[in-house]
Amino acid sequence: MLQWIRSITFIVGCTVFMPVIGLLYAPWALFSKRGAYACCKCYSRGVMWMAEHIVGMRCEVRGTPPTDAVLIAAKHQSFLDILMIFQSVPAGKFIMKREILWMPVIGQYAKRMGMIPVNRGKRGQAVTKMLADVRVGDMEAGQMIIYAQGTRVAPGAVVPYKKGTAALYEQLGQPCVPVATNVGYFWPRRGLYRRPGVAVVEFLEPMPAGMARKEFMETLERVVETRSDQLLADARAHSKR
C-alpha cells in the first residue's frame, strides 16, 4: 500500500511539474532553441530525482552516450527511457508520433527543438522527407533517435524491428549506437504502480557506418534484445532479494 501511495504521489508530481517548468522557461524557449533544450533537460532531471526520492527508483545510464552526429537505435519501454536518453546526449532529436505535437507543453517544446513527427501508417513517408532534409542541409546535426520497434514494448515481449531504421542508417551514413533498457519493469507502459530498484538505460558499442542492411538489422536486434533481456533478469533477481 505504501508503494502505491508513493507511485501516485510521483505521478502527480511529474504531471504538475511539467506545466510549471514549461511556463518558467517559456520566455527563453520562445526566442532560443537552447532554452527549449534547457527546459526539457531540467524536466528530465527533475523526474529522475523524484523517481529516486519518492518511489525509490534510481535511474542509471551506462555505457558512453554519443556527443557527435550519430543514429541512436533504442529499445522503448516507457516514458522514462525517453527522458534518460534525452538527458544523456547534447542534441537529441526523436522521431515521434505526430499526435505528441498536440499535447500541452510537450508538443510546443518538441516543435521548438525540431523533433521529427511521424503520421501513423505513414512512417515511410516521414523517413523519406527527413532524409531529404538531411541531404540538403535543412536539418541540424545531432543525435537522431529512433525506436527501432516503432512503439513501446513491454519487457520480454517480442516485436519485430522496423525497416525504417535500416533506411535511415543507410542514408545518414553515420555510425549507429544501439541502446538497451529495462525501465519498463519499473515504469510500465500502462498502470500507476512504480517499482523501486535500478532502472537502466545502456548505450552499447557503436555499429560502424556502411554495414549491409541485413547484417545491420540482425546485429542491431541481437545486441539490443540480448542486453535488454539481461538487464531485465538482473532487475527481477534484485527485486526478489
Side-chain angles (χ1 to χ4, degrees):
M1 178 61 70
L2 180 58
Q3 192 62 29
W4 272 103
I5 294 172
R6 289 172 174 169
S7 298
I8 294 171
T9 302
F10 169 69
I11 292 169
V12 171
C14 293
T15 303
V16 172
F17 184 46
M18 183 178 291
V20 170
I21 199 72
L23 289 172
L24 287 175
Y25 275 86
W28 184 15
L30 183 64
F31 297 101
S32 171
K33 186 177 292 188
R34 288 181 57 194
Y37 268 97
C39 176
C40 293
K41 287 185 179 291
C42 181
Y43 178 76
S44 299
R45 288 194 300 270
V47 170
M48 289 187 281
W49 185 90
M50 286 189 283
E52 180 172 0
H53 291 85
I54 297 176
V55 182
M57 183 198 310
R58 183 164 60 85
C59 300
E60 182 176 305
V61 175
R62 298 178 184 174
T64 304
T67 56
D68 51 354
V70 297
L71 174 66
I72 295 175
K75 182 82 171 173
H76 186 24
Q77 294 183 346
S78 81
F79 185 54
L80 181 58
D81 56 63
I82 296 176
L83 301 181
M84 292 175 69
I85 293 172
F86 181 78
Q87 175 63 24
S88 301
V89 298
K93 287 180 171 55
F94 284 92
I95 300 175
M96 63 185 196
K97 295 181 294 186
R98 181 170 291 276
E99 292 90 333
I100 294 176
L101 293 180
W102 308 111
M103 294 178 64
V105 185
I106 292 180
Q108 287 69 42
Y109 276 86
K111 289 179 184 178
R112 192 71 184 89
M113 291 183 292
M115 302 298 174
I116 300 94
V118 177
N119 283 325
R120 288 184 182 273
K122 298 182 179 180
R123 187 183 181 89
Q125 293 180 13
V127 170
T128 299
K129 181 183 184 304
M130 181 174 51
L131 295 176
D133 291 343
V134 169
R135 284 194 292 270
V136 300
D138 287 347
M139 186 171 292
E140 297 178 9
Q143 298 78 46
M144 190 74 67
I145 305 161
I146 187 168
Y147 285 116
Q149 291 166 299
T151 186
R152 288 176 299 173
V153 177
V158 178
V159 174
Y161 280 47
K162 303 291 185 180
K163 296 178 181 179
T165 305
L168 194 56
Y169 165 77
E170 291 173 347
Q171 293 297 321
L172 288 174
Q174 297 172 349
C176 174
V177 178
V179 177
T181 189
N182 67 0
V183 300
Y185 180 72
F186 303 95
W187 182 329
R189 59 182 298 189
R190 293 187 179 90
L192 301 177
Y193 188 79
R194 303 292 182 261
R195 193 187 303 270
V198 182
V200 178
V201 159
E202 183 169 348
F203 291 86
L204 307 176
E205 286 296 317
M207 300 168 61
M211 295 175 65
R213 175 176 291 209
K214 186 173 186 294
E215 180 188 9
F216 168 75
M217 290 299 293
E218 289 177 351
T219 303
L220 175 65
E221 183 169 354
R222 174 173 50 81
V223 298
V224 172
E225 292 302 306
T226 298
R227 186 56 185 152
S228 294
D229 288 344
Q230 291 171 345
L231 293 173
L232 175 60
D234 291 344
R236 286 173 171 166
H238 280 88
S239 68
K240 293 178 181 178
R241 293 180 180 176

